[in-house]
Amino acid sequence: MNPAGDIPDNQAFVSYTPASATYTVTVPEGWAQSSSGAATTFTDKLNAARFEEAGSTTAPTVESATSTIVARLATDQPGFTLTDVTSVTRSAGDAVLIRYEQDAPKNAVTSSTGREAVEEYLFWKSGTLVTVTLTSPVGADNVDPWREITDSFSWR
């Protein structure tokens, strides 16, 4: 049996382009979509893929992400524990990757709280920053689906 939150290997993906049409990305087919401001989130059971677009005059670096974004996350996210901040290369180019764990929202039925593993990618081009945040339970093996999403990200 797979751990809670594992995305099946046969998961189908579909293309998503936000109203701004500045980028396109593939997301798991059949996941619920919700939007709030400049952010769109796709969820299914214990997993989430969130995309948020913002203006930014400079590209993020490992150093700038560590000093600003990590500091904010440490304050905003309950149980925040930083794993690492690195530079990665994806199909769309270089990105900054922030990996961390946080407390999951309280379960409405059991009142228990688990832990979530989070990968936050910062893609930047020509004054536009897109933050891709992928969340799943700690221990879920979602390396391949998360790679599918982040490698499919492309600027338009």
Side-chain angles (χ1 to χ4, degrees), residues 21-153:
T22 55
Y23 67 92
T24 186
V25 66
T26 60
V27 296
E29 183 177 42
W31 284 25
Q33 178 180 345
S34 62
S35 295
S36 177
T40 299
T41 304
F42 296 86
T43 57
D44 182 52
K45 300 178 186 94
L46 303 173
N47 298 293
R50 183 177 189 270
F51 306 89
E52 184 168 11
E53 188 174 335
S56 177
T57 56
T58 59
T61 64
V62 169
E63 294 77 20
S64 69
T66 301
S67 66
T68 59
I69 297 171
V70 170
R72 178 183 48 79
L73 291 168
T75 301
D76 294 349
Q77 301 304 320
F80 176 84
T81 305
L82 180 66
T83 303
D84 63 8
V85 182
T86 60
S87 179
V88 297
T89 301
R90 293 295 186 260
S91 298
D94 292 337
V96 174
L97 169 58
I98 304 169
R99 286 191 184 102
Y100 59 95
E101 290 184 12
Q102 65 186 12
D103 291 342
K106 187 180 282 189
N107 182 300
V109 175
T110 65
S111 294
S112 64
T113 301
R115 294 285 290 164
E116 294 177 325
V118 182
E119 292 186 1
E120 191 164 300
Y121 293 81
L122 309 174
F123 291 96
W124 184 89
K125 182 179 178 184
S126 303
T128 301
L129 175 69
V130 175
T131 303
V132 177
T133 307
L134 308 170
T135 308
S136 61
V138 168
D141 180 12
N142 289 330
V143 171
D144 292 334
W146 289 164
R147 185 66 181 230
E148 167 79 23
I149 291 170
T150 58
D151 262 345
S152 74
F153 181 92

